[in-house]
Amino acid sequence: MYSQLKNIDIFKPLTNEALERLAAVSRQVEHPKGTILIHADKTEPYFYILENGIARAYSDGENQQITFWFGQNGAVLFSFNSYINNGPGYENIELLEHCSLIQIKLTDLFLLYDQHLEIANWGRKIAEQELIATERRLIDRAFKGAAERYQDFVDQSPELIKRVALKHIASYLGVTQVTLSRIRATHK
Amino acid sequence: MYSQLKNIDIFKPLTNEALERLAAVSRQVEHPKGTILIHADKTEPYFYILENGIARAYSDGENQQITFWFGQNGAVLFSFNSYINNGPGYENIELLEHCSLIQIKLTDLFLLYDQHLEIANWGRKIAEQELIATERRLIDRAFKGAAERYQDFVDQSPELIKRVALKHIASYLGVTQVTLSRIRATHK
DNA sequence: ATTATTTTTTAACATTTGTAAAATGTTGCC
DNA sequence: GGCAACATTTTACAAATGTTAAAAAATAAT
């Protein structure tokens, strides 16, 4: 396990000693495309790191499903509210392809946070990086039109454009699929 | 300083020992209404906790200014990108009233993060709470219309409605001031 | 108190985006 | 191949929001 974690970007800042502590509570899992790894309204007990494949987080509304996050190689994947407040979350996470993941039980991870300074700071940085990315998206929604957001997405996530259904990308960008189609028809 | 921090919500989970370590690097400051405490495009060296008063974070666009955050009693206040990546940020933070704040130098805080397990986890939780709040807002934008977002804001932040200019609230809610006026005219 | 300045509302019109439904394209399976 | 299921685009129309400008109201300054 240790030698496997070593190759994943998110673990690279860690010393060998910290990595071993994490490796001791990690195990590798694989799940087929279509698996719902995290369920809304449940307190989910696991934290994952995506080794291979892609996933999306979405919430269910009245008559729509909103995708608000995509994860690729190296992304951390967890129920925000289970992880942060130990309560049921609002998001589902679906694997869009066959995925291999590192799985860590949240109780094990929390124990390490309370015991190991370096791992606590590693967890702090994970939250901070997610935070800054999420706030950037909120601000981009205000400053950029839908067409520009689409273009940014194409530029910054060429893999996702190829591999993810446009209906998911549309809701991620904050528009309907019809609007996204119109944008694509115009800007090419 | 120690006895002062003790009364601020955000410090309450801490043990006396940790609180003393933080108190040792904290100092109280006051600034008048209108002060720009954090400047966009600058690496800001301080972290603040708002003791009294209200503040907003905003970014400047071509011909508009977008407010994307409000802080009240107990809020943490810092340049995201200075704090997280030690680089210049994108936000300005303006005090909307005369404010008293606790000021901590980021270099001092980072030193504590690297020395003190409890404080590292305290910092982790700060980022996590901001993260979950920010993501909730992003999702609310997708599921709720502008009128409902306004009503939620009125319900959840009655103080801000009273004390903050509507033009700032409009951009916080993701609409123009004209649209907010229309919503207010209809829903009363 | 009066004037000046800023904020908020209102109006008219333009634009964008949404909704619903049909048409077309794609994928996988037998 | 051909059918079924699903994804994407297109069309026509409706609704929501934006833009610009001006009036009204509120706030601050002298």
Side-chain angles (χ1 to χ4, degrees):
Chain A
M1 208 60 240
Y2 166 81
S3 61
Q4 186 168 8
L5 299 196
K6 228 176 162 158
N7 296 316
I8 301 176
D9 274 355
I10 199 168
F11 293 112
K12 295 226 167 109
L14 293 169
T15 59
N16 290 342
E17 193 270 328
L19 199 51
E20 268 168 31
R21 297 292 298 273
L22 279 166
V25 296
S26 296
R27 83 189 185 95
Q28 196 194 20
V29 295
E30 304 229 347
H31 289 287
K33 171 176 174 171
T35 303
I36 308 293
L37 207 59
I38 300 286
H39 298 82
D41 305 318
K42 276 197 180 172
T43 304
E44 292 284 354
Y46 295 108
F47 177 96
Y48 298 90
I49 291 126
L50 193 50
E51 231 189 342
N52 228 299
I54 54 179
R56 70 174 180 120
Y58 66 95
S59 270
D60 283 309
E62 304 260 319
N63 39 18
Q64 49 179 346
Q65 211 177 60
I66 302 290
T67 297
F68 55 86
W69 175 90
F70 290 113
Q72 304 183 72
N73 47 331
V76 292
L77 189 160
F78 53 89
S79 164
F80 272 40
N81 212 47
S82 300
Y83 179 70
I84 294 175
N85 297 317
N86 192 33
Y90 43 81
E91 73 274 68
N92 303 283
I93 300 189
E94 175 191 4
L95 305 185
L96 297 174
E97 300 179 347
H98 181 98
C99 290
S100 71
L101 310 110
I102 306 297
Q103 182 192 60
I104 302 177
K105 207 178 276 187
L106 283 181
T107 50
D108 288 337
L109 184 60
F110 294 161
L111 222 55
L112 285 175
Y113 283 161
D114 283 338
Q115 291 171 353
H116 200 287
L117 180 64
E118 192 187 340
I119 296 177
N121 277 304
W122 175 77
R124 178 172 61 83
K125 282 177 193 148
I126 288 176
E128 288 171 356
Q129 290 302 331
E130 294 287 323
L131 172 56
I132 207 164
T134 304
E135 186 164 89
R136 267 249 70 90
R137 282 187 59 207
L138 193 64
I139 295 174
D140 277 357
R141 288 272 176 104
F143 282 113
K144 296 177 178 175
E148 192 179 353
R149 294 204 301 277
Y150 171 69
Q151 192 54 56
D152 287 352
F153 187 85
V154 171
D155 295 343
Q156 288 160 31
S157 308
E159 277 308 308
L160 293 179
I161 280 286
K162 274 183 252 164
R163 290 150 71 183
V164 175
L166 284 172
K167 63 178 176 183
H168 296 147
I169 293 172
S171 75
Y172 178 84
L173 294 174
V175 295
T176 61
Q177 195 179 357
V178 175
T179 298
L180 181 56
S181 261
R182 284 193 275 239
I183 289 168
R184 284 160 57 83
T186 313
H187 294 77
K188 69 169 156 203
Chain B
M1 207 61 239
Y2 166 80
S3 61
Q4 186 168 10
L5 299 196
K6 228 175 162 162
N7 296 316
I8 301 176
D9 273 356
I10 199 168
F11 293 112
K12 294 226 167 112
L14 292 170
T15 60
N16 290 342
E17 194 270 329
L19 198 52
E20 268 168 31
R21 298 292 297 273
L22 279 165
V25 296
S26 297
R27 82 188 186 96
Q28 196 194 19
V29 296
E30 306 229 346
H31 290 287
K33 171 176 175 171
T35 303
I36 307 293
L37 207 59
I38 301 287
H39 298 82
D41 305 317
K42 276 197 180 171
T43 304
E44 291 285 354
Y46 294 109
F47 177 96
Y48 297 90
I49 291 127
L50 192 51
E51 230 189 341
N52 229 299
I54 53 181
R56 71 175 180 119
Y58 67 95
S59 271
D60 283 308
E62 303 261 319
N63 38 19
Q64 50 178 346
Q65 212 177 59
I66 302 289
T67 296
F68 54 86
W69 175 90
F70 290 113
Q72 305 184 70
N73 46 332
V76 292
L77 189 161
F78 53 91
S79 164
F80 273 38
N81 213 47
S82 300
Y83 178 70
I84 294 174
N85 296 317
N86 192 34
Y90 43 79
E91 75 273 69
N92 302 283
I93 300 189
E94 175 192 5
L95 304 185
L96 298 174
E97 300 178 347
H98 180 98
C99 290
S100 71
L101 311 110
I102 305 298
Q103 181 192 60
I104 302 177
K105 209 178 274 187
L106 284 181
T107 50
D108 289 336
L109 184 59
F110 293 161
L111 222 55
L112 286 175
Y113 283 160
D114 283 338
Q115 290 172 352
H116 200 288
L117 180 64
E118 192 187 339
I119 296 177
N121 277 304
W122 175 78
R124 179 172 60 83
K125 282 176 192 148
I126 288 175
E128 288 172 355
Q129 291 301 331
E130 294 286 324
L131 171 58
I132 206 165
T134 305
E135 186 164 89
R136 267 249 70 89
R137 282 185 62 207
L138 193 64
I139 295 174
D140 277 358
R141 287 273 177 103
F143 282 114
K144 296 177 177 175
E148 192 178 353
R149 295 205 301 277
Y150 171 68
Q151 192 54 54
D152 288 351
F153 187 85
V154 171
D155 295 342
Q156 288 159 30
S157 308
E159 276 308 307
L160 293 179
I161 280 286
K162 275 183 252 166
R163 289 149 71 183
V164 175
L166 286 170
K167 63 178 175 182
H168 296 146
I169 293 173
S171 75
Y172 178 84
L173 293 174
V175 295
T176 60
Q177 195 180 356
V178 175
T179 298
L180 181 56
S181 261
R182 284 194 275 238
I183 289 169
R184 285 160 56 85
T186 313
H187 294 76
K188 71 168 152 202

